[in-house]
Amino acid sequence: MRTVETVVLLVAVATVVAAFARRLRVPAPSLLVLAGLAAGLLPGAPQVHVPPAVVSLVVLPPLLYAASEELPWRDVRAV
């Protein structure tokens, strides 16, 4: 598989795991870590190299925005 296909597959798996975590009432980050460990330990799994510029310009801003949407105003005022 090519790198782009691998990344798209991993994003799809992460989405399914996060939705499954909601049904189980388990914190999604916990299941995502376990799924990431399982995916990383699969024999024959291709190595994916993502340049740091892609992470800082494409991946990080949406994650920070999503986290800011869930942050209560009380916590913001406390800081």
Side-chain angles (χ1 to χ4, degrees):
M1 261 199 280
R2 295 185 323 181
T3 304
V4 174
E5 293 169 345
T6 304
V7 170
V8 169
L9 178 67
L10 289 173
V11 169
V13 168
T15 304
V16 169
V17 168
F20 189 63
R22 187 174 292 173
R23 286 186 156 212
L24 290 177
R25 295 184 181 173
V26 176
S30 301
L31 282 182
L32 288 170
V33 167
L34 292 176
L37 284 172
L41 295 175
L42 284 174
Q47 289 185 348
V48 177
H49 176 71
V50 181
V54 171
V55 173
S56 63
L57 296 175
V58 177
V59 176
L60 197 56
L63 290 176
L64 290 174
Y65 179 76
S68 71
E69 288 289 319
E70 296 177 6
L71 186 66
W73 278 104
R74 288 184 183 157
D75 293 348
V76 175
R77 288 184 195 150
V79 174

